[in-house]
Amino acid sequence: MSQTAAAPAKVNPNAPTAEKVLAVEHYTDRLFRFRLTRPQSFRFRSGEFIMIGLPKEDGKPLLRAYSIASPSWDEELEFYSIKVPDGPLTSRLQKIQVGDEVLLGKKPVGTLVLDALKPGKRLYLFSTGTGFAPFASVLRDPETYEKFDEIIATHTCRDVAELTYSKELVGSLKDDPLIGEMVGNKVKYFASTTREESPAMGRITNLIETGDLFEHLGINPLNPETDRVMICGSNEMIKDTKELCEKAGLEEGSNAKPADFVIEKAFAG
Ligand code: A2P
């Protein structure tokens, strides 16, 4: 009896890998974060994004772009996500538990990276909503503190509860065993709300335009000589903040041509 060998199954080298959920924390009914195992071969630059997702019933994976919220040196991967009740992915992703599997793409990319900025003295990180995620990565990267004397991290949300993630993250920087000493007093955190009473209120764009932000921080307004900026939020927020940067004389940069500011849409799905 003759036997024919089965053709070897084709392995797609770009296929996502299945990673284990290590932690899940819910902040509000709209926001949560989770941590995944990180494959040894998975390399990225702090601030980049990657495709993540879940398998669909028909077997095909359902993937969406997500900023990586952990820094490049971390052994695990962290993500900060919105929960959309009828969102194809987040309606299911919000139910993940420790031990479950999440699919992780293989090609991290993005422009919210230090490489896309020219050297400067002060780094502004302007974010709204889940747009804080890439900055949770950048703020935990030692290179940020090697390259800049001062980092202004701003986060604007609808209400106070939505600021919890950024507040806790910035609060933990000084005590971080790896970067705490480098961070010192370099980070200034500015949080504002737009739909609930809080100590600082208003859209970041209004606060830049009126100068209230700079007055509050006791620093000079945006200056292309010294200041570099990363922007992450909704399309509208990016457009409006970008205009203000350009008005102040800052030029948009990219990986190919580093300059004064960089932008990226906050992913949601
Ligand atoms: P507002 O409450 O005035 O819309 P969201 O949760 O919808 O993504 O919004 C996050 C935050 O971004 C909210 O505080 C919202 O303010 C603010 N925001 C929305 N659009 C803009 C914009 N064009 N420029 C600056 N901030 C914005």
Side-chain angles (χ1 to χ4, degrees), residues 138-153:
V138 171
L139 281 165
R140 289 185 273 185
D141 193 319
E143 206 186 322
T144 303
Y145 303 94
E146 282 162 16
K147 289 196 163 165
F148 291 94
D149 298 338
E150 190 175 31
I151 296 97
I152 315 279

Side-chain angles (χ1 to χ4, degrees), residues 220-240:
N220 291 325
L222 286 173
N223 176 353
E225 298 287 310
T226 51
D227 299 343
R228 302 293 169 257
V229 177
M230 292 186 179
I231 307 168
C232 192
S234 63
N235 283 333
E236 284 301 302
M237 177 274 191
I238 290 172
K239 186 177 137 286
D240 294 350

Side-chain angles (χ1 to χ4, degrees), residues 30 82 128-129 156-158 162 192-195 203-205 234 236-238 240-241:
R30 289 207 320 144
I82 193 114
T128 56
T156 304
C157 292
R158 296 179 187 188
E162 293 185 339
S192 70
T193 54
T194 49
R195 303 192 193 185
R203 287 185 170 192
I204 193 64
T205 40
S234 63
E236 284 301 302
M237 177 274 191
I238 290 172
D240 294 350
T241 315

Side-chain angles (χ1 to χ4, degrees), residues 20 22-23 26 35 73 87 110 125 155 178 216 219 252 262 268:
K20 279 252 176 312
L22 300 170
H26 293 267
R35 290 178 72 86
W73 53 261
L125 306 171
H155 193 203
L178 211 98
H216 179 94
I219 54 177
E252 185 174 352
V262 282

Side-chain angles (χ1 to χ4, degrees), residues 155-157 159-168 189 191-193:
H155 193 203
T156 304
C157 292
D159 55 47
V160 174
E162 293 185 339
L163 294 168
T164 310
Y165 179 69
S166 62
K167 194 174 161 206
E168 286 182 359
Y189 173 63
S192 70
T193 54

